[in-house]
Each structure stands twice: as C-alpha cells, then as structure tokens.
Amino acid sequence: MDTVRILQVVGYKKSGKTTLVKRWVKLAKSRGQRVAVIKHHGHAEPLATPDAGTDSMQFLAEGPDASIVSGGGAIQLQTE
C-alpha cells in the first residue's frame, strides 16, 4: 500500500501560501507522484464557478490529479 502524505499550509493573506503549494504540486508531479490539493473556502459567500485567478484553478494549472475546495456546506471538485 502506498503511503499517503498530507501537508497543511496555513498563513496570513498574501503570505505566499498559493505560490508554495503550486511549487510543491509541480515538483511532486515531475517525480511522477499523484497529487490532490484541498482548499478551505473561509468566506461568507457560497462557492462560485472558479475563474482562472482563483487559487484552486491556479493549483489545477500545475497538474494535480484533483483540486478541491470546501466551504459553506459545499464541496467543489475540479479534475482534468
């Protein structure tokens, strides 16, 4: 059975969290690893269809197997 590794990134707004996760995703995929990114949506408004500027779509552009957003009682799953 494969080992599942979970990395959690927490930090202040505009502190580089998205940039760090994108780099980790790119590195892991270059090594042939399977990757999923889960992002918590901590805003009051409901989840909307993501545009290219959202964190989840930026993560997806780096090639993970899945990008997931959770918040407001909903889960949004993006895969390619």
Side-chain angles (χ1 to χ4, degrees):
M1 183 169 149
D2 291 335
T3 301
V4 176
R5 292 180 179 88
I6 299 173
L7 302 173
Q8 180 178 355
V9 177
V10 179
Y12 293 105
K13 186 174 184 171
K14 301 291 182 186
S15 63
K17 299 178 304 292
T18 299
T19 300
L20 176 65
V21 172
K22 286 170 43 178
R23 288 178 182 168
W24 280 347
V25 168
K26 191 172 187 174
L27 177 64
K29 292 305 290 183
S30 74
R31 294 179 177 182
Q33 297 173 326
R34 295 179 63 197
V35 179
V37 178
I38 302 172
K39 178 177 175 23
H40 176 257
H41 175 74
H43 307 286
E45 68 273 359
L47 295 174
T49 303
D51 62 46
T54 62
D55 290 349
S56 58
M57 294 308 286
Q58 289 183 50
F59 297 144
L60 195 61
E62 296 301 327
D65 299 290
S67 179
I68 304 163
V69 179
S70 170
I75 294 175
Q76 206 172 54
L77 170 65
Q78 301 282 334
T79 62
E80 288 190 1

